[in-house]
Amino acid sequence: MNFIKLQKEQIFFCLVFFFIAAINLLIYYPSFFHIPRSDQLIYLANTADQKDWLSLAFSHYGYDRVEHYFWGWDARLFRPMFFFILGTMKYLFHYDFVLWQVTVFVFHLFVQWHLLKLLARFGSLVLGGCLTLWFSSLIAGIEMVTWHHIGPYLIFVSLILMALDCIFEIIQSQKITSKKLIKLTLFLLIACFIYEIGCILGGIFFLSIMALYFRFKKEGKELPPVMMAFCVLLPSIFYVFTYFFDLYIRKTDFIQAVDTADAFDILKTMKAFFFTLWWMIYTGNFAAFVDIKVLQRTIFKVTGFHQFQYFMNLTTLLKVYMIAVLSLWVSGLWMIVGSIVKGALKKRWLFLLILFSAVFIQIFIIIIGRTNLSGLLPTLINNSYYGYFVWIYLVVLIGFLTAEYWRTLNKFNPAKIITAFLIFGIVGVNGKIVYDANKQRAHNEKIRYHLIKQVRVLEKEFGENFSFGIQPIMSPPMTWVKPKTGKGEKEFKYLELLYPRQFDFFNPQYVFVLTPDGTIMRGKRY
């Protein structure tokens, strides 16, 4: 009977996931026809002369710390696995951008699978499915899921979810095994080298494991050798050693790489923390009140929602939307209180502490790494994908705190039905916004997509040494270039012009003119 019950649960889990995947496919399908933009175009240009997998996957392990033909140098960053993944994708897909985007979308589905698995472990697959669907439709995904260059971040998020699932399983079973510790160590090892914040989270997870280890030891439970628990810290130690060793062999001073005076300004950091948290919560909850500009980057600007007069002037539909969001939060807070009263935190307070720490660390790193150096509002407006990182922990936190109360309610309890109805309504609004943004970008890039096809024809006609450019009539300007350097000429085939100062490098043989009606005209420059 237990086997049959387990099979039914697994089938139901798969059905819930496939439903979530189908909704995501619907809202992200237009993005399959996007072409690279911003940093990804620079990456493609800087690696254009490398064709073999070993060069692409391994020789760019310190890509951010190397001065390239085009901008991209930032010695603070060290993400070998990030560029291993990008290099492998470039080797496999070359300039077939549909495959690039489909792959990044699959990474996004990996995140949803592991999020659903973790939320279901809290006690309710239905609640977990609703929260996973809601998270997957957040507007932060417009940038995270459709910008090829940051696709590896999605693997990082999946690994952290797997690590959280491993720790929760230990807390729930009240048992530490060598197998679980090895799995946790491997997840963290890969995560650290994709995104440096994994190093800090690894330290938090290690402290959590040690706290559990000594508590279980005090209770007389069977445990693996304590050195196995220390293995969880090894990825963080190894990353820090590699980080500074790489700086050493490149003869780069750490102080030169990090502007500590601005990055660690205490007052600026405190102010930025609370504003950033408010920004994330606002843009995550009130997508309809966020002005989204689909340009080279997905730009978020908040409206005057906090002003009473602004609310009074809203349309009836937007007022209903706002009331629905607020009602959902009232329902959630009620369930959180109910879960706490019913003992949801009993022997599980440590997991709550881990989640709060993860939210704090993620926002703190964003502030000292970006906002304190580049400005608070410019950073948040131009890096909308940061919300994806913060909300993944917030959604797990919400699921963890509400699951206990949800489980105690009858299957068709009105509170459950109303909450699910509200979530689906908000998902519908979010999904429509995400779909429209993806469709808008696909439409804007349609001309450029056809242009790439013409480029391939010309490559066959003129061979490997062919170079060309575009004289734009439409915005933003786009130029395919063959830059000249002090060491001679080097071939770069697919680069979009992002900065006017780069005009100095351009000397294309052919010019394409994009006219307002979408016609592509070809002419020889000289």
Side-chain angles (χ1 to χ4, degrees):
M1 289 297 292
N2 288 335
F3 176 73
I4 296 174
K5 183 181 178 181
L6 181 63
Q7 277 194 322
K8 286 182 178 179
E9 289 176 352
Q10 291 174 340
I11 292 172
F12 186 42
F13 179 91
C14 290
L15 288 175
V16 171
F17 172 75
F18 286 134
F19 175 75
I20 294 169
I23 297 297
N24 276 263
L25 180 61
L26 177 65
I27 64 178
Y28 280 106
Y29 174 75
S31 71
F32 293 172
F33 306 101
H34 293 180
I35 63 173
R37 50 194 170 87
S38 195
D39 293 22
Q40 178 66 354
L41 287 158
I42 296 174
Y43 170 78
L44 291 175
N46 287 330
T47 58
D49 61 332
Q50 293 172 322
K51 311 294 182 185
D52 62 290
W53 177 70
L54 288 176
S55 296
L56 287 166
F58 292 98
S59 66
H60 290 287
Y61 76 93
Y63 176 86
D64 289 307
R65 293 179 170 180
V66 178
E67 294 195 43
H68 303 283
Y69 285 89
F70 298 98
W71 177 85
W73 186 82
D74 190 344
R76 297 171 302 168
L77 307 179
F78 184 62
R79 301 167 178 175
M81 279 300 298
F82 185 100
F83 291 102
F84 172 86
I85 296 167
L86 276 184
T88 301
M89 291 173 71
K90 185 174 183 249
Y91 172 76
L92 293 174
F93 310 137
H94 200 55
Y95 299 115
D96 192 332
F97 303 127
V98 173
L99 291 179
W100 274 87
Q101 181 52 37
V102 169
T103 303
V104 175
F105 175 73
V106 171
F107 292 167
H108 173 63
L109 292 184
F110 283 166
V111 173
Q112 310 319 311
W113 174 276
H114 292 294
L115 177 60
L116 179 62
K117 182 181 177 184
L118 178 57
L119 292 175
R121 194 181 290 280
F122 296 153
S124 174
L125 179 56
V126 174
L127 177 62
C130 289
L131 290 174
T132 302
L133 180 62
W134 178 68
F135 171 79
S136 70
S137 69
L138 289 178
I139 57 176
I142 297 173
E143 189 81 322
M144 181 66 93
V145 185
T146 66
W147 190 12
H148 305 164
H149 194 68
I150 58 176
Y153 281 149
L154 292 166
I155 297 179
F156 167 82
V157 173
S158 292
L159 289 165
I160 295 302
L161 286 172
M162 292 162 74
L164 286 171
D165 183 72
C166 195
I167 290 178
F168 186 79
E169 188 180 0
I170 290 172
I171 294 172
Q172 191 177 40
S173 64
Q174 297 288 290
K175 185 178 181 181
I176 298 176
T177 64
S178 297
K179 183 179 178 181
K180 289 175 184 175
L181 293 176
I182 292 172
K183 283 169 58 179
L184 182 58
T185 302
L186 289 175
F187 297 152
L188 292 174
L189 180 63
I190 301 171
C192 285
F193 285 87
I194 295 178
Y195 186 24
E196 56 274 2
I197 198 174
C199 173
I200 305 173
L201 291 174
I204 297 296
F205 292 160
F206 165 71
L207 294 175
S208 303
I209 289 295
M210 294 307 296
L212 290 168
Y213 189 94
F214 288 113
R215 193 182 91 191
F216 292 166
K217 185 176 182 181
K218 188 176 180 180
E219 294 172 357
K221 294 180 179 178
E222 185 178 348
L223 294 165
V226 70
M227 290 308 297
M228 287 297 299
F230 273 96
C231 285
V232 177
L233 187 60
L234 289 180
S236 297
I237 295 173
F238 184 50
Y239 175 82
V240 171
F241 171 78
T242 310
Y243 181 99
F244 285 102
F245 181 73
D246 184 73
L247 283 178
Y248 172 75
I249 61 175
R250 295 181 192 278
K251 296 181 171 54
T252 303
D253 185 76
F254 179 69
I255 302 301
Q256 177 188 345
V258 181
D259 188 348
T260 54
D262 286 332
F264 295 99
D265 184 300
I266 296 175
L267 291 178
K268 186 190 287 188
T269 301
M270 290 176 61
K271 176 185 175 183
F273 181 87
F274 291 106
F275 185 85
T276 302
L277 182 60
W278 171 84
W279 179 280
M280 299 299 178
I281 293 174
Y282 184 102
T283 55
N285 282 287
F286 300 102
F289 298 113
V290 178
D291 182 18
I292 302 174
K293 301 293 185 185
V294 182
L295 304 172
Q296 275 295 312
R297 301 283 287 271
T298 305
I299 310 300
F300 284 1
K301 290 185 179 180
V302 300
T303 58
F305 164 73
H306 57 286
Q307 299 171 356
F308 180 75
Q309 189 61 39
Y310 175 81
F311 172 71
M312 297 304 295
N313 293 331
L314 291 176
T315 63
T316 302
L317 192 60
L318 283 176
K319 287 180 181 178
V320 170
Y321 165 79
M322 179 186 166
I323 292 170
V325 173
L326 295 176
S327 299
L328 182 61
W329 274 99
V330 170
S331 173
L333 290 172
W334 178 266
M335 290 185 184
I336 288 172
V337 172
S339 293
I340 293 173
V341 170
K342 293 181 179 297
L345 301 183
K346 186 179 180 181
K347 291 189 176 182
R348 300 197 296 184
W349 59 267
L350 185 61
F351 193 74
L352 183 67
L353 185 61
I354 292 171
L355 294 175
F356 275 122
S357 300
V359 172
F360 175 83
I361 290 167
Q362 183 65 61
I363 295 177
F364 181 72
I365 292 298
I366 291 171
I367 291 168
I368 65 170
R370 292 296 180 197
T371 63
N372 281 356
L373 301 174
S374 305
L376 182 56
L377 270 177
T379 299
L380 296 176
I381 288 172
N382 293 295
N383 296 277
S384 57
Y385 67 92
Y386 285 160
Y388 199 98
F389 288 120
V390 175
W391 270 105
I392 193 71
Y393 303 119
L394 291 178
V395 169
V396 174
L397 183 62
I398 293 167
F400 175 67
L401 290 175
T402 57
E404 188 67 26
Y405 185 80
W406 180 280
R407 282 197 310 162
T408 62
L409 299 176
N410 296 326
K411 185 179 293 186
F412 298 105
N413 185 282
K416 278 187 172 182
I417 296 173
I418 292 172
T419 300
F421 179 78
L422 290 171
I423 290 175
F424 275 88
I426 294 168
V427 166
V429 175
N430 291 350
K432 180 65 165 58
I433 293 170
V434 174
Y435 174 83
D436 287 344
N438 287 326
K439 189 175 181 180
Q440 181 185 347
R441 178 168 278 136
H443 176 75
N444 292 343
E445 294 175 347
K446 188 175 182 180
I447 296 172
R448 289 185 281 179
Y449 185 75
H450 288 302
L451 178 62
I452 291 171
K453 292 182 179 179
Q454 292 204 21
V455 170
R456 289 172 177 164
V457 172
L458 290 171
E459 280 184 329
K460 291 179 181 178
E461 182 180 348
F462 292 98
E464 285 292 321
N465 294 323
F466 171 71
S467 65
F468 63 98
I470 296 173
Q471 176 182 331
I473 292 179
M474 60 193 305
S475 180
M478 183 173 70
T479 304
W480 309 86
V481 303
K482 180 179 182 180
K484 287 186 175 181
T485 69
K487 299 178 181 179
E489 295 184 349
K490 193 169 184 178
E491 194 70 29
F492 296 93
K493 292 194 176 69
Y494 297 103
L495 178 68
E496 182 169 1
L497 173 64
L498 303 177
Y499 308 104
R501 62 180 173 81
Q502 291 178 329
F503 269 116
D504 296 339
F505 294 100
F506 301 159
N507 188 22
Q509 297 171 0
Y510 289 86
V511 174
F512 287 82
V513 178
L514 306 183
T515 61
D517 64 358
T519 304
I520 303 174
M521 298 188 298
R522 168 187 169 192
K524 195 167 184 178
R525 186 176 180 189
Y526 56 85

